[in-house]
Amino acid sequence: MCPENPENYKMRPRRGVKSSPVDVAKQFVTKKIDMPGFKVENIPPTGRGVITQKPFQNGDFLLHYHGQLLTWEEGDRLEERNSTGFRFFYQV
């Protein structure tokens, strides 16, 4: 998460022009900041998690994922070695 106040970085389209989710995503990723409306919390017993603080619309850009991308097979192998009970799949 961005250490600065993300509210200072609201990216709004010009009046009457609606930005596409891809354009909004490019703006935030390029500036290396997160979209406002999220916070990181400790969620026992699993660890850290990202919590939303406001409603979002279907199709909105949310966050840029910085983790390692794995194939399904790699995920299966890792889960067999050290199961967390939590596994998420994203389409890229």
Side-chain angles (χ1 to χ4, degrees), residues 14-91:
R14 290 187 312 267
R15 190 170 284 173
V17 177
K18 182 169 172 60
S19 294
S20 75
V22 172
D23 291 336
V24 172
K26 286 179 183 177
Q27 292 175 12
F28 280 97
V29 171
T30 300
K31 291 186 179 242
K32 297 183 179 179
I33 60 173
D34 291 325
M35 189 162 188
F38 297 94
K39 69 178 179 175
V40 176
E41 285 189 356
N42 187 35
I43 305 171
T46 59
R48 292 182 351 155
V50 178
I51 308 297
T52 61
Q53 296 180 301
K54 69 177 197 174
F56 291 95
Q57 299 293 318
N58 188 18
D60 283 352
F61 168 74
L62 300 178
L63 297 168
H64 180 229
Y65 177 70
H66 295 276
Q68 181 181 4
L69 298 179
L70 304 174
T71 65
W72 190 287
E73 292 78 21
E74 291 170 319
D76 283 342
R77 281 195 299 276
L78 286 172
E79 193 67 20
E80 285 175 12
R81 279 191 277 157
N82 185 21
S83 179
T84 62
F86 296 91
R87 197 164 163 194
F88 300 94
F89 296 92
Y90 304 95
Q91 181 177 348

